[in-house]
């Protein structure tokens, strides 16, 4: 098993006043040639947006964009006609394909909104743009891996144009479980949202990440009550 540790305090830090963003991989003004991606996982931004502020209308193309709210309400609008609000317990996906324009705003007048924005390099380019969101909290599985994203339209969670699977793990202290990778050649980027976890001999604190590859499985143990996001992705970039 091959691993790479990304400690929370090693992430890029961009504080624009209204926006405070932590970048796990090179993004915008944060450039780190050793942190360009983990396989096809290109962006993992941990964003906090101030009250009544947000990202104005901007374009995307040929990227799978996943947003996971952690606190507060996030308003989304796009040129496909969608005007929606997502909140903690939801997941949103957008296949940018041939091109989309969208905006994201904090819909709360009195508190910040916190969310993860994740970009995945797709395995199909120039697809017709699409949007979807679902509530995942209704199907939460305690002390298990809850699938929230896959390549399959009929599976649990949202779907994307890539052989990737995302799971949320809400583990009580002392619980552990083996994760079996879904596809040969994939790796898993384990991101601790809250709590403390252990994989092998490596202890992971809040907002630490461990990239795992060249294995068929691994065991995840919660040292505290923990919420953990597992992102399984192909390690080989599309040709």
């Amino acid at each position: 098993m091959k691993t790479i540790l990304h400690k929370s305090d090693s992430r890029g830090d961009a504080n624009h006043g209204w926006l405070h963003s932590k970048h796990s991989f090179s993004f915008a003004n944060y450039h780190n040639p050793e942190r360009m991606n983990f396989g096809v996982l290109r962006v993992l931004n941990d964003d906090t947006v101030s009250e009544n502020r947000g990202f104005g209308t901007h374009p995307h193309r040929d990227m799978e964009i996943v947003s996971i709210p952690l606190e507060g309400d996030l308003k989304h609008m796009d040129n496909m006609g969608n005007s929606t609000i997502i909140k903690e317990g939801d997941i949103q996906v957008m296949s940018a394909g041939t091109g989309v324009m969208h905006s994201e705003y904090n819909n709360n007048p009195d508190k910040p909104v916190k969310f993860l924005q994740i970009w995945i390099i797709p395995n199909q380019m120039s697809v017709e743009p699409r949007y979807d969101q679902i509530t995942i909290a209704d199907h939460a599985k305690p002390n298990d891996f809850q699938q929230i994203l896959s390549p399959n339209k009929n599976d649990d969670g949202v779907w994307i144009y890539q052989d990737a699977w995302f799971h949320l793990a809400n583990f009580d202290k002392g619980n552990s479980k083996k994760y079996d990778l879904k596809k040969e050649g994939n790796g898993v980027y384990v991101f601790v949202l809250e709590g403390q976890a252990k994989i092998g001999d490596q202890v992971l604190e809040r907002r630490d990440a461990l990239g795992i590859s060249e294995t068929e499985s691994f065991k995840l143990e919660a040292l505290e009550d923990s919420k953990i996001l597992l992102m399984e992705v192909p390690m080989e970039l599309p040709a």
Side-chain angles (χ1 to χ4, degrees), residues 74-123:
L74 184 69
K75 184 173 183 179
H76 164 98
M77 298 180 69
D78 62 46
N79 63 346
M80 293 180 282
N82 297 295
S83 178
T84 63
I85 294 174
I86 57 173
K87 58 186 183 299
E88 182 182 3
D90 295 339
I91 183 172
Q92 175 198 83
V93 65
M94 188 167 63
S95 298
T98 55
V100 297
M101 303 284 291
H102 82 134
S103 61
E104 297 159 298
Y105 285 93
N106 182 350
N107 201 55
N108 303 116
D110 57 352
K111 62 181 179 180
V113 63
K114 300 180 180 181
F115 68 104
L116 302 180
Q117 183 161 106
I118 302 161
W119 294 6
I120 303 290
I121 300 169
N123 56 19

Side-chain angles (χ1 to χ4, degrees), residues 12 23 109 165 172 221:
H23 306 307
W165 288 261
D172 296 326
E221 179 185 359

